[in-house]
Amino acid sequence: MPGMGNSLRAAALLAFVVLSILVSLLISSVQQFGARISHFSNATLADDEGESASLRGALIHQLNERRKEIIPLLLPHDDDADENGLSGESRHSSQNDQALDSTLDYGLWNEITHGSRKAHMDEMGCDSLVDMQAVEILGSGYTKLVVKVNLAGGQPVALKLVNEQGIDMGKCVEDFKDPQGCRELVSYKLKKEIVLLQRLQHPNVIKLKGHCAGDAGGRGVEGGRVTVILEQGNPLQMIQLLQSPWEDRFRVCLDLVRLLHFLSQSPLGSVALLDFQPRQFVTVSGELKLTDLDDASAEETSCQTDADCTLQFPHRNFTLPCSARGVCEGLSEKRNIYNAYRYFFTYLLPHQAPPGLTHLVDHIMNSTGELKADINQTLEAFEHILLLYKSGLHLDNLPPSIIRDYTVMRGMGTSGNVEYRCWPSYSQQGCVLSVHSAREAAYICNSHSQCNSFTLTGQRTWTGRFLASFRSSFSSLVPDGTSEVYVKKTKAPETSTV
C-alpha cells in the first residue's frame, strides 16, 4: 500500500504543477491576449469553407448574443447614453439594436476588455501578475477556475480564469471546433462579472482589484484570455459557522441583508441573485462578501396577470402582483429575501439567540419565511437587534445586584486556571463568551454550575462587546493592566501576586 500512497501524492503534486504551468503560460502571454470579435472572421481563412464557415458563423452569432447581454450593464444611466450619443429611447428600442451595436463597438467594448475611466477600483493589470506564485485551487466549475496566488510582493489575491477543462469549454470545442473562439465565448461570464463588480461596489461585494485581458491589436495566438483579480477571501463554511457563537452568525445574516438592500436599489435597478447558495460567498476579516456575480440579473419579469408573477421554491410558492407597467412588482427583491431565509436565516439566526432578543428574531423568521416584509423592513429589524445587542438594552431585566456577589480585582489576571468548556465558545480549550458588561458576565457565571470566577479582558468583538473568560478555579493572581478578575465571594481566594 505504500506504493499507492506515493502514487496518490505524486498525482496530487503533478496536478499542482500542471496548474502552475497553466498560470505561468497565462502570464507569459499577457502581451498577446485578447482581440475583438472581428478576428474570428479572419482567423481560419485556410480552413475548409463548407462546414467550417458554417460553424464559424454560428460561433460569431453566439459571441454577438453574449456581447448584447453585457451592453445594458454598461449603460445603466441616461447620462451614460448621452455621452455615447444615444437617447434613452434608442437604448431600449429593438429596431435600433444594430445602430446601437455599431455605436458601442469601440468605446464600450474597450470598457469590457480593458476597464474604463469609470473603473476607479480596477488598479491591477497584467503587469501585476508577473512572477506570481500559485498557492492552491480554491474552486472550479463548469466555466471558471479560481486560484489563490501570491503576487511578487507577497500579497495574496484570488484569480478567476476560464476553466480550460470545464464542461462549458469542452462542449463549445465539440460544437464549434475552435478552441480560441470558445475561450472567447466562455470568457464572457468573466467579462460580465468584471462589469458587475465595477457597477455594484459595496462593502459586502468582493473587491475587484483589477483584471488582465487582451490588447486591442489581438496579437499572437493566445487571444481571448481574461483573468479577474479579486481580493482574497475565505470560503464560507456553513458547518463551521453553525458551531460559532450567535454573534458571529448574526453578523453573517446582517451583512447579507445589507447586501440585499443595496441590490434592491442598485445602479442597475433591482438585482436578483439567480444562483443563491452559500458557496457564492466568502468572508474577509469576518465580513460576508458576495464573490460570484455572473448569475446576477437586473432584468424585470414581464407579466399580464398576477399568475405570471409566481415565485416557485421546493416547498413554497408565492404569487406577487403584476404592476400597471406590465412587470412583476418586487420579484427580484422577494426572491432574494426568501433565499436568504431558507439558506441562511433558518440555520444561523434562531439557535442560541440571547433571551432578550428571541422575540425579535422570531419576528424576522416569520416575516421573511412568509414574505410579509420587504427588504427595507427586514433591514430595519436587523439594525434594531444590532442596536439593542451592542447597547445592552436587551439586558434591562438583569438585576443590578447580581454583581454584588462577586469580588473584583482590577488590573489583575489569573494563572493556574482550571478551565471548563461551554458551547459555543470563542476558545476550544475553555469557555470564552462575549458580554456587554460585568453584570451580564455574572449572570452567565451564575448559570454555569462549574463557574466560580471570570475575567474581563481588553479584547472586544466586532460589536464592541467584551470577551469574558469563565473558569472553575485558578491558583493565583498576576498583574495584568488590561484585565479584571471577578470571583464569587464564597469562593474568593487569598490575593497573591507573582
Side-chain angles (χ1 to χ4, degrees), residues 73-372:
L73 303 178
L74 296 168
L75 288 178
H77 302 298
D78 289 338
D79 54 353
D80 290 323
D82 294 340
E83 291 177 8
N84 290 276
L86 299 171
S87 67
E89 182 179 354
S90 66
R91 289 169 56 204
H92 300 289
S93 173
S94 59
Q95 64 185 1
N96 289 308
D97 281 349
Q98 186 173 358
L100 171 66
D101 204 44
S102 174
T103 304
L104 301 178
D105 190 26
Y106 293 101
L108 295 185
W109 182 250
N110 286 338
E111 182 172 352
I112 298 172
T113 52
H114 302 291
S116 75
R117 63 189 184 279
K118 296 183 179 181
H120 302 300
M121 63 194 295
D122 195 3
E123 298 173 352
M124 292 184 178
C126 299
D127 292 344
S128 302
L129 303 181
V130 176
D131 295 329
M132 69 180 182
Q133 292 184 341
V135 178
E136 61 177 318
I137 298 176
L138 297 176
S140 62
Y142 286 6
T143 305
K144 294 172 290 186
L145 185 69
V146 185
V147 185
K148 177 181 179 181
V149 304
N150 291 331
L151 301 182
Q155 179 184 0
V157 296
L159 300 184
K160 283 189 179 182
L161 54 154
V162 170
N163 186 353
E164 302 281 346
Q165 306 302 318
I167 292 178
D168 286 354
M169 186 68 176
K171 187 177 186 305
C172 180
V173 172
E174 180 181 346
D175 290 344
F176 299 112
K177 311 295 188 297
D178 185 346
Q180 183 179 344
C182 284
R183 187 182 297 118
E184 180 78 9
L185 180 63
V186 174
S187 72
Y188 266 85
K189 278 201 170 185
L190 292 173
K191 293 177 181 179
K192 178 182 178 182
E193 197 156 8
I194 290 172
V195 176
L196 287 172
L197 287 169
Q198 291 172 354
R199 295 298 191 196
L200 302 177
Q201 300 176 38
H202 185 266
N204 298 115
V205 175
I206 200 75
K207 183 178 180 181
L208 174 68
K209 287 184 170 292
H211 71 270
C212 176
D215 57 14
R219 297 187 299 269
V221 297
E222 291 296 324
R225 290 193 187 275
V226 176
T227 301
V228 187
I229 310 171
L230 304 171
E231 68 178 323
Q232 172 61 40
N234 299 314
L236 191 66
Q237 302 289 347
M238 288 297 287
I239 293 179
Q240 180 180 345
L241 198 56
L242 290 170
Q243 301 172 16
S244 301
W246 180 84
E247 185 173 327
D248 290 346
R249 288 182 273 124
F250 174 77
R251 182 184 189 180
V252 168
C253 296
L254 173 63
D255 283 346
L256 180 58
V257 171
R258 286 172 172 171
L259 170 65
L260 299 186
H261 180 264
F262 165 73
L263 293 180
S264 71
Q265 49 191 18
S266 81
L268 301 177
S270 184
V271 175
L273 302 180
L274 301 182
D275 188 11
F276 199 118
Q277 298 279 349
R279 64 172 177 266
Q280 310 294 342
F281 297 86
V282 298
T283 57
V284 179
S285 300
E287 191 171 40
L288 185 74
K289 292 179 181 279
L290 176 64
T291 189
D292 207 335
L293 282 163
D294 60 321
D295 288 313
S297 173
E299 294 183 10
E300 294 182 311
T301 302
S302 59
C303 60
Q304 294 182 341
T305 67
D306 291 353
D308 298 325
C309 301
T310 300
L311 278 175
Q312 296 183 334
F313 298 98
H315 304 293
R316 290 293 306 272
N317 292 336
F318 300 93
T319 299
L320 303 179
C322 179
S323 70
R325 295 189 300 118
V327 296
C328 296
E329 198 170 288
L331 190 71
S332 296
E333 176 182 322
K334 295 289 187 174
R335 182 196 303 274
N336 289 343
I337 291 176
Y338 192 75
N339 278 327
Y341 163 80
R342 68 189 186 115
Y343 285 117
F344 287 86
F345 301 166
T346 298
Y347 301 104
L348 303 180
L349 205 53
H351 186 56
Q352 291 196 327
L357 300 175
T358 51
H359 66 291
L360 298 175
V361 170
D362 290 343
H363 173 72
I364 287 177
M365 296 302 295
N366 290 333
S367 61
T368 56
E370 298 296 328
L371 287 186
K372 295 177 180 178

Side-chain angles (χ1 to χ4, degrees), residues 53-66:
S54 176
L55 291 176
R56 192 162 59 249
L59 179 57
I60 291 174
H61 174 74
Q62 289 295 321
L63 286 163
N64 280 322
E65 290 301 307
R66 299 292 81 74

